[in-house]
Amino acid sequence: MKPVAWTWTDRIPSGALTVIPGREGIGKSLTLAWLTAQITRGTLPGRHHGQPRPVIYAATEDSWSHTIGPRLYAAGADLDMVYRVDVQHDSGFDALTLPRDCSALGREISRLGVALLAADPLLSLIHASIDTHRDRDLRTALEPLVNMADRTGCAVVGLAHFNKSASADALNLITGSRAFSAVARAVIAIARDDEAGDGSCVMSQAKNNLGRLDLPSLRYVVESVEVPTDEGPAYVGKLTITGESDRSVADILGDGAAGDGDTRMERDNAAAWLRDYLVGQGGEAAWADVRKAARAEGIAERTLQRARARAGVTVEREGFPSRTFWRLNPGHGASPVAPVTPQSRQSRHVPEAGATGATGREVASLADPGHIPSPR
């Protein structure tokens, strides 16, 4: 018996599979780039904090020279500690394939001391002969990968896509067999929060078999960053976590689910009423009083909860026995940071320093000006 080790404290377990699902164009790949940067710099809270470790980045959908390399550079990764993975055969090289290459991959992970295997996306690593919509078939690829992670202690983090269904449960939306979420020990779901008004996205712990599930959701934005190259500047997105989020991914997905019981206009009206009510109460009120007043106005509790973030209201518990208070956030307003947009439409703008550190031109100082070191 031994305790769980965490690559990212309470969120990503070491020696296990974590899946990050979400819809297209909301920064899932940038999340992997951010994780890679944190691990190769030793700045991620967890077992490797203060001890930079290598990362193997397995990607098949994007170009290394045009997309992946610049993204890692912009995120601040130590590119000398990032390895791309190809598989050599008698006839040449091809991509990493599961389950065929698990044993050889495990040997390389142990030899190099790799802390993270980043799979972008996880589905692309599965052998073409495996039906990823059949649970039994998919497990033949995922279970050897999980066993390899357990032997080496390496965290495996794979990206996945949401299907087009409407559900508040992120686990039900992952494209392919349910085995993706069943075999994974942790799932961190991502969704864009249209209610925020600034295009920001939220990441929430949708599954955590080895730890807490009541973790705070985190909010992030994507900034457009200029990266110098020998052939002129390149422009890519860079993920910046701005803090905790009052709304979870389940809340956001619930907004878009069919038959959710309210409309955007109703939530807008509820948010306006809530602001006016709290202003009249001096900026705060007990939740029981807010709920009672809302009912008198014909506002459903679920609609009120969904309107809370848009109204700029925070929730706090005080006293013993504890009571819940709703308070207006005096700093609530539109975010000054550029909204998240699909990567093909990132604006060619170099922002100043962001809330979590250097961005834009300051990132260029992490390597020789005008040159991007090649990942190994």
Side-chain angles (χ1 to χ4, degrees), residues 185-208:
R185 298 298 83 193
V187 175
I188 301 175
I190 293 177
R192 177 181 286 111
D193 185 8
D194 292 332
E195 297 294 322
D198 62 356
S200 60
C201 295
V202 173
M203 62 174 68
S204 301
Q205 202 80 24
K207 176 180 178 178
N208 201 355

Side-chain angles (χ1 to χ4, degrees), residues 10-346:
D10 293 333
R11 296 182 187 269
I12 296 178
S14 301
L17 172 64
T18 298
V19 174
I20 301 180
R23 302 206 185 279
E24 299 286 347
I26 59 172
K28 293 192 301 296
S29 293
L30 297 180
T31 304
L32 273 189
W34 178 85
L35 281 171
T36 298
Q38 299 290 313
I39 290 173
T40 59
R41 296 291 179 183
T43 54
L44 187 68
R47 66 183 300 194
H48 306 303
H49 188 268
Q51 301 175 338
R53 295 286 293 275
V55 171
I56 290 179
Y57 203 104
T60 58
E61 294 185 349
D62 291 311
S63 163
W64 274 88
S65 59
H66 292 139
T67 305
I68 299 171
R71 280 178 181 172
L72 292 171
Y73 175 87
D78 180 351
L79 297 185
D80 287 333
M81 299 188 74
V82 180
Y83 292 82
R84 61 174 293 176
V85 55
D86 294 310
V87 182
Q88 183 176 5
H89 297 283
D90 293 338
S91 57
F93 291 88
D94 63 8
L96 180 69
T97 302
L98 304 176
R100 182 194 67 185
D101 300 320
C102 277
S103 295
L105 178 63
R107 290 193 293 270
E108 287 300 292
I109 286 173
S110 296
R111 183 178 70 85
L112 298 170
V114 169
L116 171 69
L117 169 64
D120 183 7
L122 179 59
L123 185 65
S124 67
L125 304 185
I126 309 297
H127 194 279
S129 65
I130 293 176
D131 185 348
T132 57
H133 291 274
R134 293 173 59 88
D135 188 273
R136 185 185 298 272
D137 289 358
L138 182 57
R139 284 176 179 271
T140 64
L142 295 183
E143 288 176 354
L145 177 67
V146 168
N147 290 337
M148 181 276 296
D150 183 59
R151 290 195 309 272
T152 61
C154 177
V156 178
V157 178
L159 301 185
H161 299 300
F162 280 161
N163 57 42
K164 297 186 182 302
S165 302
S167 172
D169 186 352
L171 303 185
N172 289 332
L173 293 176
I174 299 176
T175 299
S177 163
R178 184 77 178 189
F180 276 116
S181 59
V183 175
R185 298 298 83 193
V187 175
I188 301 175
I190 293 177
R192 177 181 286 111
D193 185 8
D194 292 332
E195 297 294 322
D198 62 356
S200 60
C201 295
V202 173
M203 62 174 68
S204 301
Q205 202 80 24
K207 176 180 178 178
N208 201 355
N209 281 27
L210 302 177
R212 297 167 48 204
L213 194 58
D214 61 339
L215 297 167
S217 297
L218 300 177
R219 187 173 294 275
Y220 71 83
V221 294
V222 171
E223 303 165 300
S224 182
V225 177
E226 180 181 293
V227 174
T229 77
D230 293 338
E231 299 179 12
Y235 299 89
V236 294
K238 174 179 179 291
L239 181 145
T240 299
I241 294 178
T242 58
E244 295 182 3
S245 170
D246 290 334
R247 275 164 58 82
S248 68
V249 169
D251 294 332
I252 296 168
L253 295 176
D255 288 350
D260 62 2
D262 58 29
T263 65
R264 175 165 294 187
M265 180 176 292
E266 288 173 327
R267 294 194 292 273
D268 288 344
N269 291 338
W273 174 87
L274 179 58
R275 284 192 296 268
D276 290 343
Y277 174 79
L278 291 177
V279 168
Q281 301 297 315
E284 68 176 52
W287 160 235
D289 296 334
V290 176
R291 180 171 53 189
K292 182 178 179 180
R295 285 177 179 171
E297 295 294 328
I299 301 173
E301 181 176 333
R302 184 171 180 81
T303 302
L304 189 66
Q305 291 282 2
R306 292 177 175 178
R308 178 166 54 84
R310 174 163 290 194
V313 173
T314 59
V315 176
E316 298 179 16
R317 297 179 66 85
E318 294 181 355
F320 183 81
S322 64
R323 298 177 65 200
T324 300
F325 290 87
W326 283 30
R327 294 188 172 98
L328 280 175
N329 180 2
H332 177 71
S335 171
V337 187
V340 177
T341 58
Q343 295 307 300
S344 60
R345 297 192 288 112
Q346 287 293 334

